[in-house]
Amino acid sequence: MLPLMRSLSGLFAIVVMCLFLVPISAPLAMAGEESSVDELPWWETTNMDKDRDQIHDAVWMAVAGMSGGDWVDDDGRIGVIVDFDHTPTEEDEVLLENSIDFIVQWRYHLIDSIAGKVAVDHLFELTEIEGVVLVELDGRLEVQMEDVVPYHGVDTVWEETGYTGTGSVVAIIDTGIDSDHAGLDDLDDNNETDDPKVIAFYDPVNTPALTNGTEVKAYDDQGHGTHCAGITAGTGAPEMVHVGVAPQAQLVGVKVLDSGGSGSFATVMAGMEWTVEKKHVFNIRAASMSLGGPGAIEWTSSEEESVNRMGNRMMAEGIALFIAAGNSAGPGTIGTPGSAEDVITVGSLDKNGAIAPYSSEGPTEENRVKPNIAFIGSDVMAPDFNTGTGYTAKSGTSMATPGAAGLAALMYQANPDISPFDVRNIMQETSIYRQCHYMLANQPCAEDLIPKNRQNNVYGHGETRSPESVAEAANYVYGLDMGMNISLISEPTLDNKIHVSPGEGIDYSLTGDPVEVQWRTWDMRDTWMDLVGHDLGDEEATITHTMLVDRLQELPDVEIEGNHTILLRSLRGPNASANMVTHIHVMGSEPIQDIVEETSSTVFALSAIIVLMSTIIGGLLIILMRNSNYEEIPFEDDNEDVAPTSVTLTDIDFKAKFDTKISSLSENLKSTEAAYSKMTVQELKSILSERNMSTSGRKADLVQRLLDE
Ligand SMILES: [Ca+2]
Ligand SMILES: [Ca+2]
Ligand SMILES: [Ca+2]
């Protein structure tokens, strides 16, 4: 994708250069556009930019070297997310590159932003570019892991629903997945059959251009993602002790964090957007993101921050997104992206059901109550990466989050019609409310005094209940009648799927005298359809190849030939049977096979020509640009002392502005100090130990250590 994008952007560059030859009328058009008086656009009111200079205030903290250094690279550039008042086009991309030598990393379409790197002394010029409304810091996100506690015993396997996640696909947006681990390598734990559990993998960290999901073999070079994947959907093999929440669900790995367990907003968002793009191809319905921000910069999070906006978009696009609350302990510590309004933010419970001492608490920066729910996250045994068969215990909201995502997989199997918001609401409504001081794990809070309160900043809506959530999802339209049963007659082949060729079908036997039999594919755009020809008393049902082709050709972006998942259910009165889920492989797509092949070969020929042409033009452009007097602006090392900055600034004008920024930020830092000072020694120590820092010393030492970080 990248080479193509590059060459296309080359093409656009030429178009843009041609545009310079004609008078520019765009600014006039813009002037006519009025923003509504009562509702200002978000970038004019966001907490991210309190001084309204169109630059995220955290950018200045980063430039000054606060909250850890390393924000500015050796070339004097800083990673930013550039927000536009429209969905940015390739022209915008080229404009950034040409006017201020911006290095574009990603251009998104789910949010109106471009990620990339800009020289620090071009920051103000960046805000002047047409359409640019805000420049955000490309912050960092990392795994949310607590100390590893050895634990042997029963795992968080949820009780008896009849559903094991078959057909559900959950994306694990993390450090990767070790798909060779016995608990994650296949669905049936039988090496004779080829039925991988991890059906797709995307790695924007190391191979961003390989986007189709099947080019890169899944891997994990850190271990966190593998552990999370196992909690969602591990089969528990070989010993079958530490079984995941939805052991028959399938997984998609999205590697957005590097081998050190951290990644940039920009890369994480590339992974999030890819997940949405592939939702129909791989039937992705839920995603688990156990990551959050370290350090003081991310605590200044705001609901408008790019990752939060991307998270909200994922929910709207049909993917139930679970995000770890974080392990920062204490009130007001849920930052980006757990603070996003629509996502399902998950707090962590100890094995006894009380809130874990490390679990981050709301409210968010905007005073919104978070988390949404709480799930077991302490001492969870799950696959240990690159061991083949080993398991290890970890604790953290990181462990709670994939557990909740696994529960969503069970709910989707029970009812594929529910939306991500249904998933969230059902989990919230069926959870058992806990007061802030439940089991004395925490201090009482004001909400504890409100009768019949339903959410607080410690437990969210409370302890998530698995059987109730699945039952509620199943009973959305029909009651569940286990007296009706469906079983598969057709034999699976070596890939553990039923192969269906033209003229064939998938055969089922029915018990319990259903009045109606219905079926559908797993695709979220599909709906239940009556099986035509079913009569009361029939003891068999067949889904034919023709029925499948007729249905699948109605779904855009879906290949008819290949792997699919279908559901079948029996109806009688107000009740339905449990859904029967079958993995199938459609062979041949007649009767429309000829047309499809003809069309796709034409499309292929055309795209080949376009690719060839744009490659040539792009190549020419690159040569042109290399030969032009392209001026490099090195960051000179003159030794003047500017604030506590990690870069030396050459532009006098810029430096004056910068100094003003830093002095106002120092005020902010003082308020951070005040916030730390209000914490108990215990709270401070838990933050320090989570960051692998020493916990020794008096309270003042602990506060100073955190401020120095
Ligand atoms: Ca600002
Ligand atoms: Ca296995
Ligand atoms: Ca197998």
Side-chain angles (χ1 to χ4, degrees), residues 496-556:
N496 206 11
K497 296 181 181 68
I498 312 296
H499 285 230
V500 204
S501 295
E504 295 178 349
I506 308 142
D507 300 321
Y508 298 92
S509 74
L510 310 169
T511 60
D513 292 325
V515 176
E516 213 73 80
V517 174
Q518 294 187 321
W519 76 285
R520 57 167 286 165
T521 70
W522 197 275
D523 191 284
M524 63 174 79
R525 297 164 297 188
D526 205 356
T527 50
W528 290 100
M529 264 200 327
D530 288 348
L531 188 67
V532 179
H534 173 80
D535 291 318
L536 186 65
D538 285 356
E539 291 182 347
E540 286 192 12
T542 300
I543 306 296
T544 66
H545 183 272
T546 307
M547 291 159 68
L548 289 164
V549 170
D550 284 349
R551 175 55 64 97
L552 290 168
Q553 65 182 322
E554 296 299 322
L555 304 171

Side-chain angles (χ1 to χ4, degrees), residues 145-155 227 242 350-351 356-358 377-382 391-396 399 689:
M145 192 154 47
E146 266 285 316
D147 46 333
V148 175
V149 184
Y151 181 89
H152 301 280
V154 192
D155 194 34
H227 201 265
H242 310 299
D350 278 340
K351 289 278 172 183
Y358 53 79
S378 289
D379 305 330
V380 181
M381 289 290 284
Y391 284 77
T392 185
K394 293 182 199 288
S395 298
M399 281 64 242
S689 71

Side-chain angles (χ1 to χ4, degrees), residues 185-196 494-496:
D185 58 351
D186 67 344
L187 288 176
D188 65 357
D189 291 316
N190 170 5
N191 290 337
E192 307 284 301
T193 59
D194 178 23
D195 52 347
L494 283 180
D495 58 2
N496 206 11

Side-chain angles (χ1 to χ4, degrees), residues 345-585:
T345 308
V346 188
S348 178
L349 301 175
D350 278 340
K351 289 278 172 183
N352 62 3
I355 198 74
Y358 53 79
S359 192
S360 288
E361 298 173 14
T364 66
E365 174 82 18
E366 288 75 24
N367 245 337
R368 182 173 298 119
V369 185
K370 282 271 179 179
N372 296 84
I373 53 170
F375 207 92
I376 301 284
S378 289
D379 305 330
V380 181
M381 289 290 284
D384 194 7
F385 81 126
N386 297 351
T387 61
T389 54
Y391 284 77
T392 185
K394 293 182 199 288
S395 298
T397 50
S398 271
M399 281 64 242
T401 306
L407 175 53
L410 303 178
M411 292 166 71
Y412 277 122
Q413 185 184 3
N415 185 351
D417 291 328
I418 53 178
S419 77
F421 295 95
D422 294 331
V423 169
R424 189 185 69 188
N425 293 342
I426 290 170
M427 283 189 180
Q428 291 182 166
E429 283 161 17
T430 57
S431 63
I432 301 172
Y433 182 70
R434 301 294 189 203
Q435 294 193 322
C436 292
H437 66 290
Y438 174 70
M439 288 186 73
L440 302 180
N442 203 42
Q443 306 295 317
C445 60
E447 286 83 2
D448 286 356
L449 301 171
I450 305 170
K452 296 188 178 170
N453 190 44
R454 277 305 300 157
Q455 188 182 16
N456 61 46
N457 283 308
V458 176
Y459 287 86
H461 288 258
E463 181 184 322
T464 313
R465 295 295 302 156
S466 196
E468 286 82 353
S469 292
V470 174
E472 181 78 13
N475 295 340
Y476 239 41
V477 180
Y478 292 100
L480 190 60
D481 179 355
M482 298 304 272
M484 289 185 291
N485 193 41
I486 303 174
S487 51
L488 187 64
I489 297 174
S490 303
E491 287 283 331
T493 50
L494 283 180
D495 58 2
N496 206 11
K497 296 181 181 68
I498 312 296
H499 285 230
V500 204
S501 295
E504 295 178 349
I506 308 142
D507 300 321
Y508 298 92
S509 74
L510 310 169
T511 60
D513 292 325
V515 176
E516 213 73 80
V517 174
Q518 294 187 321
W519 76 285
R520 57 167 286 165
T521 70
W522 197 275
D523 191 284
M524 63 174 79
R525 297 164 297 188
D526 205 356
T527 50
W528 290 100
M529 264 200 327
D530 288 348
L531 188 67
V532 179
H534 173 80
D535 291 318
L536 186 65
D538 285 356
E539 291 182 347
E540 286 192 12
T542 300
I543 306 296
T544 66
H545 183 272
T546 307
M547 291 159 68
L548 289 164
V549 170
D550 284 349
R551 175 55 64 97
L552 290 168
Q553 65 182 322
E554 296 299 322
L555 304 171
D557 310 321
V558 166
E559 295 275 340
I560 295 174
E561 287 202 65
N563 296 337
H564 295 282
T565 304
I566 59 171
L567 298 98
L568 199 72
R569 70 179 179 191
S570 295
L571 300 180
R572 193 176 51 197
N575 295 324
S577 68
N579 295 328
M580 172 76 202
V581 183
T582 317
H583 291 297
I584 63 169
H585 186 94

Side-chain angles (χ1 to χ4, degrees), residues 236-253:
E239 303 293 337
M240 313 315 264
V241 178
H242 310 299
V243 182
V245 175
Q248 285 304 302
Q250 287 165 311
L251 297 169
V252 167

Side-chain angles (χ1 to χ4, degrees), residues 589-607:
S589 54
E590 60 93 60
I592 52 147
Q593 191 174 11
D594 296 344
I595 304 157
V596 167
E597 274 181 7
E598 211 171 283
T599 319
S600 62
S601 65
T602 316
V603 169
F604 178 79
L606 271 175
S607 20

